[in-house]
Each structure stands twice: as structure tokens, then as C-alpha cells.
Amino acid sequence: MKSFTLGRVIPLVDVTAFHPTENHFRTADVTAVALPVQDTRLRPLRDLRISVTDRCNFRCIYCMPKEVFGKDYPFLPRAELLTFEEIERIARVFVGLGVEKIRLTGGEPLLRKDLEYLVELLAKLRTPGGDDIDLSLTTNGSLLSRKAQSLRDAGLKRVTVSLDSVDEAVFQQMNGVGFSAASVLEGIGSALRVGFAPVKVNMVVKRGVNDTQILPMARHFRGTGIEVRFIEFMDVGTSNGWNLESVVPSSEVIRTIESTFPLVPAGRDRPSDTSVRFRYADGQGEIGVISSVSRPFCGNCTRLRLSANGQLFTCLFASHGEDIRAPLRSGDSDDALRRRVADLWLHRTDRYSEQRAENTIAPNQPKVEMSFIGG
Ligand code: SAM
Ligand code: SF4
Ligand code: SF4
């Protein structure tokens, strides 16, 4: 059977090649698929976020509060982690299905030893049309001064650094371990010096904690070429004590900045981008807002996440992942892996943030932690 939607068509099921342990009932309808593969709401699979570790040297209050992620926390044992070769193979399968953007994340990705080698492997991937993959990394910046050059040499093109305040007291309280903002700023400086472009900064805004820092952050990075993206505090996982009152809606962020620096709306680069951009009216650069809570963007969500131990999650707020490490280690061919991924995406229905806005989420729904699934 041939698929009829736009784009390149690839056969996905060779019935004679079915693995005996494979679930025929779930995959039987996956006979061919047009690229990019689309889910039940016609959302294409375009972005892959790869978590390379669930560990972190920070304990940000909104992500890994130290009261929960203490020394007895059951982090993944090393043997559970995908090797770099396994990650590259899975990524290659995804690129074959239409993925164009890959982001390395975690936990703190720069804690993973020899990450440069993975970057080197992934930088060689090409889309079916022969284009480069848009490969990026999100980091807390603590090790960036040391690693910026080697990452750049390995083929990484752009980085996003998380920084929740330029005020030392506020930042050190927020990251939970007293790490200095000055060191992260040094890391950002190194990223610029070695030629990453663009360098972006992520700031999670939490009411009563760093909402006074919106304007200082905007002021600090204005005119530097660095875009600050203000992110609404989200109810990821079950550890961060989230409540709606702690969320500063993006509309308020915009109003706060506009009171001093007039802004002009600049929209989204691509419909699937999480960030909506605004330009400074005086030409001093741009900011972005990520309004996951106040203006959910599930309708254009093209992201899938791969955890460090090889589970696939089609939503940041998922309760369960689909294991791809076991079939990979038990000898599945690339074609068989491709069928599994396509099957997962074709059946995808996720729209958590829309449901949150509609108030239709079941209470106490289990959710994986962001540090595990990858931000
Ligand atoms: N450790 C790296 C870092 O902090 O950049 C990468 C992983 S972190 C989970 C990825 C991004 O998720 C960061 O920019 C972080 O600020 C954001 N994040 C974590 N918890 C969040 C939450 N509860 N709400 C909104 N953003 C969050
Ligand atoms: Fe670590 Fe990043 Fe989570 Fe902060 S946001 S605790 S730096 S993983
Ligand atoms: Fe995508 Fe899930 Fe976030 Fe909606 S809630 S935008 S489906 S990750």
C-alpha cells in the first residue's frame, strides 16, 4: 500500500521480515508512510530531544529540588545508559523519518563524559534530502567555559544556556547549589568567542522568586546579539511543587519589558517553534517568550524525547515511555526500529497543555521528571 500525503514515501512494513516477538496488531496498519511521518492530529515528527544523562550538578527549585533529588535519589546506573553509538543509530532512524532538529539535553548534558564524540557522530547525519541536521545543546553553562571549543570543533553549531537571573543572590538560590551567575556568564562569553550562533539564554520565571529579574535580564542581554527566552514555570514531573499562582504569564513578561524598552511582535520562526519572538523597537535585538501554560501550543508540537536509558516520550508530560533500547539491543534492524518509531508517532494523541488549560487533567496523573526525559 502507498501513502498519499505529500512528501517522500517510504515502505515501512515488510511482512515477511517481521520479528517473531513483534506485536503484529499494533504495527499491522503501518504499511507505508510519507515523510515526515504525521500523528493523529497531522503533526509531523520534526524534532528529537536527546537526554544524555538524568544527573545534574544543579538543583534548580523548579526542576530538581534538592529536598527530592538528594544523595539517595535513584539516578540511572551507568550500565542503563545508551551508548553514543546506540544514540547515533536511533537518531539516524529518526532522521530517516523526517526529523530535522536534534537537541542534546538532560539533566546536565555536559556532565556526560566525552559528549564531544556524540556531537561528532550526530553532526554527520543528513536528512533524506541531503541537508545538515540542526544540532543544538541546552546546558546550565557551568562547564561551558571548559568545553565550548571542543564542542564547536566537534561540529556543534548552537547552544542555549539556562540562566534565571543575573543577580547573584537570586540565581544562587534558584539553582539550589549556590553556583555563581558570573561563571555562567563566563560560559556564555566562551560560547560567543568560539563562534556558536545563535547563543540563546533560557530564563524560567517563577513568581515571588525571580520575577523582579525580568527587566535586569532583558537589560543585560540587550544589544549583545543574545536572545533571552522567558519561559513560563511548568508543572513537569511531580516534584517541583507547581501551582498556577507561581506562573508569570508571558503577557506580564512582555508588559514588564515594554514599560522600559518598547517591543514589536515578530512571531514564530517556524509554526512548531516553542518561542514567540519580539524585537526591541530601537533595533537592540530580540527576546522570546515560551507560553506553555498561558497559550499552549500542542497543536503544532513536533517533538519527541529520547531518555538516557532509551525510552521514547511523545509528550513532556507523559506518564510512560516506549522502550527502544531492548529491541535495539536484541538485534532489530534499522527498518524494524523505524517501524516502531513510526507506529508510535502515527498513534500519538498528546495534548497535555491544552488539557491543562481546559481543566481536564486527571488528578494525580503520574508524570516523568524533566531531568529524566530531557528539557
Ligand atoms: N540542564 C540543562 C539546562 O538547565 O539548560 C538542560 C536540561 S533542562 C531540564 C532544559 C530546560 O528546561 C532549561 O532551560 C530549564 O530551565 C527548563 N526547565 C526545567 N524545569 C522547568 C520547569 N518546571 N518549567 C519550565 N522550564 C523548565
Ligand atoms: Fe539541572 Fe537543568 Fe534541571 Fe537546572 S534545569 S536542575 S540545570 S537539569
Ligand atoms: Fe507537546 Fe505535550 Fe508540550 Fe503539548 S504538552 S506542546 S503535546 S510536549
Side-chain angles (χ1 to χ4, degrees):
M1 192 177 97
K2 283 265 183 336
S3 166
F4 41 81
T5 40
L6 289 175
R8 180 185 296 247
V9 177
I10 55 165
L12 277 174
V13 171
D14 170 3
V15 179
T16 57
F18 261 16
H19 193 278
T21 58
E22 200 162 66
N23 181 342
H24 287 245
F25 292 109
R26 284 198 63 204
T27 52
D29 54 333
V30 185
T31 52
V33 69
L35 296 186
V37 58
Q38 293 182 336
D39 70 5
T40 57
R41 300 180 70 196
L42 302 182
R43 296 170 294 190
L45 173 55
R46 288 296 195 196
D47 305 76
L48 175 64
R49 300 210 174 166
I50 301 175
S51 170
V52 292
T53 178
D54 62 337
R55 291 166 196 259
C56 188
N57 53 343
F58 283 14
R59 289 292 179 270
C60 301
I61 54 170
Y62 51 77
C63 178
M64 298 178 77
K66 57 175 175 250
E67 301 73 26
V68 178
F69 293 82
K71 66 176 181 347
D72 297 327
Y73 189 82
F75 290 105
L76 292 171
R78 217 152 286 277
E80 294 269 312
L81 303 185
L82 293 173
T83 66
F84 289 158
E85 286 77 10
E86 287 173 333
I87 293 176
E88 189 269 347
R89 186 160 163 227
I90 295 170
R92 191 152 29 87
V93 162
F94 273 89
V95 170
L97 283 168
V99 160
E100 300 169 331
K101 287 175 85 169
I102 295 181
R103 175 173 291 278
L104 296 174
T105 177
E108 174 46 40
L110 297 188
L111 289 184
R112 180 89 186 246
K113 198 163 166 278
D114 300 326
L115 188 76
E116 294 85 345
Y117 176 53
L118 177 63
V119 168
E120 225 175 285
L121 294 176
L122 297 178
K124 289 186 190 136
L125 294 176
R126 295 289 174 275
T127 67
D131 295 324
D132 286 354
I133 298 299
D134 177 0
L135 180 63
S136 60
L137 169 97
T138 303
T139 172
N140 63 23
S142 58
L143 300 170
L144 198 52
S145 297
R146 239 182 285 165
K147 293 206 161 228
Q149 188 66 61
S150 55
L151 288 164
R152 184 83 184 100
D153 294 344
L156 189 69
K157 300 229 173 59
R158 52 194 200 90
V159 291
T160 299
V161 183
S162 303
L163 178 66
D164 298 320
S165 170
V166 282
D167 178 277
E168 286 292 352
V170 175
F171 181 62
Q172 293 184 23
Q173 190 239 328
M174 257 186 118
N175 66 51
V177 295
F179 197 87
S180 83
S183 305
V184 177
L185 288 167
E186 262 174 47
I188 293 172
S190 307
L192 289 173
R193 267 193 303 283
V194 304
F196 285 119
V199 174
K200 294 183 183 172
V201 166
N202 277 357
M203 170 179 177
V204 176
V205 186
K206 186 169 178 199
R207 187 167 315 277
V209 180
N210 67 339
D211 47 348
T212 57
Q213 297 302 304
I214 296 167
L215 205 47
M217 281 285 283
R219 185 177 284 115
H220 185 92
F221 288 103
R222 245 170 69 84
T224 64
I226 292 175
E227 175 186 324
V228 182
R229 304 184 325 163
F230 299 87
I231 306 178
E232 290 177 353
F233 173 40
M234 290 187 281
D235 50 338
V236 284
T238 50
S239 310
N240 67 7
W242 184 88
N243 56 48
L244 197 53
E245 293 71 51
S246 306
V247 179
V248 178
S250 296
S251 53
E252 190 176 323
V253 170
I254 299 297
R255 272 200 311 277
T256 305
I257 297 175
E258 263 189 335
S259 65
T260 307
F261 305 116
L263 294 167
V264 181
R268 287 187 158 90
D269 272 351
R270 305 185 321 163
S272 60
D273 281 356
T274 53
S275 161
V276 178
R277 293 172 307 120
F278 289 79
R279 270 196 298 277
Y280 289 112
D282 61 0
Q284 290 300 301
E286 289 184 357
I287 59 147
V289 290
I290 301 184
S291 319
S292 342
V293 179
S294 65
R295 303 197 69 171
F297 35 75
C298 301
N300 288 318
C301 178
T302 58
R303 290 172 289 284
L304 187 148
R305 291 174 163 84
L306 170 67
S307 68
N309 64 346
Q311 291 177 36
L312 303 173
F313 294 90
T314 55
C315 181
L316 181 54
F317 300 90
S319 307
H320 306 288
E322 175 109 347
D323 185 27
I324 194 161
R325 189 186 61 185
L328 180 137
R329 290 190 177 168
S330 64
D332 262 19
S333 66
D334 283 0
D335 271 353
L337 294 176
R338 195 175 300 123
R339 285 202 298 276
R340 281 180 190 281
V341 175
D343 183 39
L344 179 66
W345 193 262
L346 286 165
H347 290 87
R348 175 185 189 239
T349 56
D350 305 291
R351 51 184 296 276
Y352 179 94
S353 289
E354 288 179 355
Q355 290 169 317
R356 183 205 300 110
E358 293 161 2
N359 231 340
T360 55
I361 292 165
N364 305 322
Q365 178 177 318
K367 286 178 282 172
V368 280
E369 293 297 331
M370 193 162 187
S371 53
F372 171 73
I373 195 176

